């Protein structure tokens, strides 16, 4: 894990740790892992749940250890964008929600019903049943900021 990743993980952990207790719940860990761009399987989450069955709170060091040993894949912004484009040949920024659900539950490593529900709650769907994925992608794109040292744009990963 590089310094940029660790700083990003620490920042995300501190946001989730709203009460500044130094620990987050197992369900928060599930959310945070996905929010950081990882794609864990039900098996990955089951391992976490089993390991922390008696300890409901996970501190930052445990979280970092979990993330560093997980078998799940982390996809880049560009890879996720290309996946959406494969469903939107005309690049209108829309994908039929039923087509998307079918693909996510039958192709590659299929998502379970609970994983699909969790994913869909964060994806905007218009009144015609289309996913407006461009809006969703904007939240995944690395942010740019001005470096105080160089006064140039730095891209945060």
């Amino acid at each position: 894990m590089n310094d940029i990743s660790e700083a990003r993980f620490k920042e995300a952990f501190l946001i989730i740790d709203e009460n500044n207790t130094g620990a987050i719940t197992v369900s928060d860990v599930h959310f945070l892992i996905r929010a950081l761009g990882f794609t864990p399987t039900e098996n990955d989450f089951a391992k976490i749940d089993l390991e922390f069955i008696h300890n409901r709170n996970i501190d930052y060091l445990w979280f970092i250890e979990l993330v560093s040993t997980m078998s799940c894949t982390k996809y880049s912004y560009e890879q996720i964008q290309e996946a959406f484009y494969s469903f939107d040949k005309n690049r209108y920024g829309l994908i039929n929600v039923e087509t998307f659900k079918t693909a996510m539950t039958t192709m590659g490593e299929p998502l379970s019903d609970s994983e699909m529900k969790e994913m869909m709650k964060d994806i905007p769907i218009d009144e015609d049943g289309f996913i407006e994925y461009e809006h969703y992608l904007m939240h995944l794109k690395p942010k740019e900021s001005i470096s105080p040292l160089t006064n140039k744009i730095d891209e945060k990963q």
Side-chain angles (χ1 to χ4, degrees):
M1 179 180 323
N2 63 37
D3 290 342
I4 293 172
S5 294
E6 189 164 353
R8 190 166 166 242
F9 293 169
K10 181 71 171 181
E11 179 182 11
F13 185 92
L14 292 173
I15 289 169
I16 299 297
D17 181 19
E18 294 173 337
N19 298 327
N20 297 319
T21 62
I24 60 176
T25 66
V26 173
S27 62
D28 287 338
V29 169
H30 289 211
F31 170 79
L32 191 53
I33 287 170
R34 283 210 169 107
L36 288 167
F38 290 94
T39 55
T41 63
E42 285 286 327
N43 191 39
D44 290 319
F45 282 144
K47 287 178 188 175
I48 293 170
D49 294 345
L50 186 60
E51 185 170 344
F52 293 98
I53 198 163
H54 298 296
N55 184 3
R56 298 203 183 268
N57 293 314
I58 299 170
D59 68 19
Y60 179 69
L61 294 177
W62 272 105
F63 174 72
I64 288 298
E65 188 172 322
L66 275 173
V67 171
S68 67
T69 60
M70 288 190 75
S71 62
C72 58
T73 305
K74 184 174 187 300
Y75 295 102
S76 71
Y77 168 81
E78 289 78 14
Q79 289 171 313
I80 295 169
Q81 183 179 42
E82 282 302 315
F84 277 116
Y85 285 168
S86 69
F87 293 99
D88 181 19
K89 302 291 185 211
N90 296 320
R91 305 278 167 91
Y92 292 130
L94 302 170
I95 301 171
N96 178 281
V97 70
E98 293 307 317
T99 301
F100 180 72
K101 284 181 180 179
T102 300
M104 296 304 293
T105 57
T106 61
M107 298 172 73
E109 186 168 332
L111 296 179
S112 68
D113 289 340
S114 63
E115 289 173 319
M116 194 69 220
K117 281 182 185 176
E118 181 71 23
M119 174 188 257
M120 292 307 295
K121 75 179 188 181
D122 295 328
I123 296 179
I125 301 170
D126 73 11
E127 64 276 355
D128 295 321
F130 285 89
I131 296 170
E132 299 174 8
Y133 69 86
E134 289 293 340
H135 175 75
Y136 181 70
L137 283 173
M138 286 189 317
H139 295 289
L140 299 176
K141 190 164 186 162
K143 307 288 188 268
E144 292 182 342
S145 63
I146 303 294
S147 168
L149 299 175
T150 64
N151 211 22
K152 293 182 180 176
I153 294 177
D154 289 333
E155 188 175 286
K156 292 183 182 177
Q157 298 292 331

